[in-house]
Amino acid sequence: MPELPEVETTRLGLQSHLEGCRIRSAEVRQPHLRWPVGPDFVRHIRGARIHRLTRRAKYLLVYTDTGCAIWHLGMSGSLRMVEADTEPEKHDHIDWWLDSGWLLRYRDPRRFGALLWTSGDPLTHKLLRHLGPEPLSGKFNEDYLFSVSRKRRQPVKTLIMDGHIVVGVGNIYASESLFLAGIRPDREAGSISKARYGRLAEAIKQVLQRAITRGGTTLRDFIGGDGKPGYFAQELNVYGRAGAPCPTCTRPLSDRVLGQRNTFFCTRCQR
């Protein structure tokens, strides 16, 4: 599913197309997504001018002069700009026609995404208000990770994948970050030193930033806002490579299930 780098790639791809535009009209052909699109949504958004496009965790926030649209891409959702007269296909569920002459189109074959509306501060919405810090922010550092990990016996990988601890560190990026930091994913979170958490925090930032630069990771059907897939998958060190040689020591990489997620690591380089 689209993770933080994919969502940030989408935001960057759409930002210049959306900010400053007015939404002339909109259509919701399929309102039954993860949560139903409200029956008044089109009325709220029609005629609104878009001021900002930001991201919180894996949510895109479209700020307008009438309120804010909260968009989540779910498992298979994508947003892209198309010509205004482009005919919709089977899984094209939502369209926004802009005064620029372009059309913003939402496609979601599995319909696990969501489009919500709020007239208040979206950061206080029930879906966002209890989320952890952004991993690329200054608040996410060794002091924070060391503090929240004390007395926790859960594996460190499940700790950093908990959105209440830190947002946007999905399965792929957790495995890659732990490899870069030299930490076994099944180590008890409370047993790791502050210095090692410092290396992990920096590794998470490095891996996510590199993935954003490469346009995200394409494993199934993610397509960025510009219609181009991400290429970070070509640079994965451990994820999905069980049995392949470790890129550092050449020992065959191992895998196991942690928190119902496949996990990949090197038994020699990670401890």
Side-chain angles (χ1 to χ4, degrees):
M1 66 182 294
E3 297 290 350
L4 185 150
E6 288 82 7
V7 178
E8 180 65 8
T9 298
T10 297
R11 187 190 71 82
L12 293 171
L14 295 176
Q15 188 172 32
S16 63
H17 294 284
L18 296 183
E19 290 185 347
C21 287
R22 189 174 294 279
I23 302 167
R24 291 194 296 106
S25 61
E27 181 180 5
V28 178
R29 283 181 291 275
Q30 174 53 272
H32 300 293
L33 304 178
R34 182 175 181 183
W35 299 289
V37 180
D40 294 331
F41 179 83
V42 171
R43 178 176 60 83
H44 288 308
I45 206 76
R46 185 188 294 121
R49 186 171 297 280
I50 299 171
H51 295 303
R52 284 189 298 142
L53 178 63
T54 66
R55 178 192 54 77
R56 177 68 172 111
K58 292 187 285 185
Y59 294 91
L60 286 171
L61 307 179
V62 187
Y63 288 88
T64 78
D65 50 10
T66 59
C68 185
I70 303 173
W71 223 317
H72 194 288
L73 300 180
M75 295 289 290
S76 60
S78 64
L79 285 164
R80 64 179 70 180
M81 306 302 301
V82 299
E83 299 284 348
D85 59 355
T86 304
E87 288 295 321
E89 298 181 0
K90 178 179 179 181
H91 301 297
D92 295 336
H93 302 316
I94 300 171
D95 286 343
W96 292 4
W97 284 270
L98 308 174
D99 63 0
S100 63
W102 286 87
L103 168 67
L104 176 66
R105 173 158 287 166
Y106 178 64
R107 177 180 174 83
D108 190 352
R110 301 179 193 175
R111 289 193 283 150
F112 288 158
L115 178 59
L116 306 171
W117 178 261
T118 179
S119 57
D121 181 357
L123 299 182
T124 64
H125 191 279
K126 63 181 180 181
L127 293 175
L128 281 70
R129 62 177 175 241
H130 297 303
L131 294 175
E134 292 284 332
L136 298 178
S137 71
K139 295 180 180 180
F140 183 69
N141 53 36
E142 63 184 82
D143 291 329
Y144 172 76
L145 271 180
F146 184 74
S147 174
V148 298
S149 66
R150 295 307 85 193
K151 298 183 180 180
R152 290 180 180 262
R153 302 187 65 181
Q154 71 185 109
V156 63
K157 181 169 181 268
T158 64
L159 177 81
I160 62 174
M161 289 182 62
D162 184 341
H164 295 95
I165 300 297
V166 58
V167 300
V169 185
N171 194 28
I172 297 172
Y173 303 110
S175 291
E176 293 295 308
S177 299
L178 288 163
F179 174 76
L180 193 62
I183 299 173
R184 276 185 66 116
D186 53 1
R187 279 286 302 272
E188 283 191 10
S191 70
I192 298 171
S193 68
K194 180 183 286 191
R196 298 192 78 199
Y197 269 123
R199 291 196 290 274
L200 179 56
E202 287 305 310
I204 289 171
K205 292 175 187 287
Q206 181 178 333
V207 167
L208 291 175
Q209 193 60 62
R210 192 165 73 241
I212 292 168
T213 301
R214 302 297 191 274
T217 303
T218 298
L219 292 182
R220 291 197 178 96
D221 48 17
F222 170 75
I223 299 294
D226 59 358
K228 300 176 182 178
Y231 294 101
F232 185 66
Q234 300 174 10
E235 302 180 12
L236 297 177
N237 287 305
V238 293
Y239 186 86
R241 300 187 63 240
C246 170
T248 300
C249 72
T250 73
R251 174 177 286 192
L253 294 170
S254 299
D255 69 310
R256 61 170 297 188
V257 175
L258 286 175
Q260 299 181 325
R261 300 295 186 93
N262 291 330
T263 301
F264 305 88
F265 59 100
C266 176
T267 56
R268 175 179 291 172
C269 296
Q270 294 173 256
R271 56 183 178 81

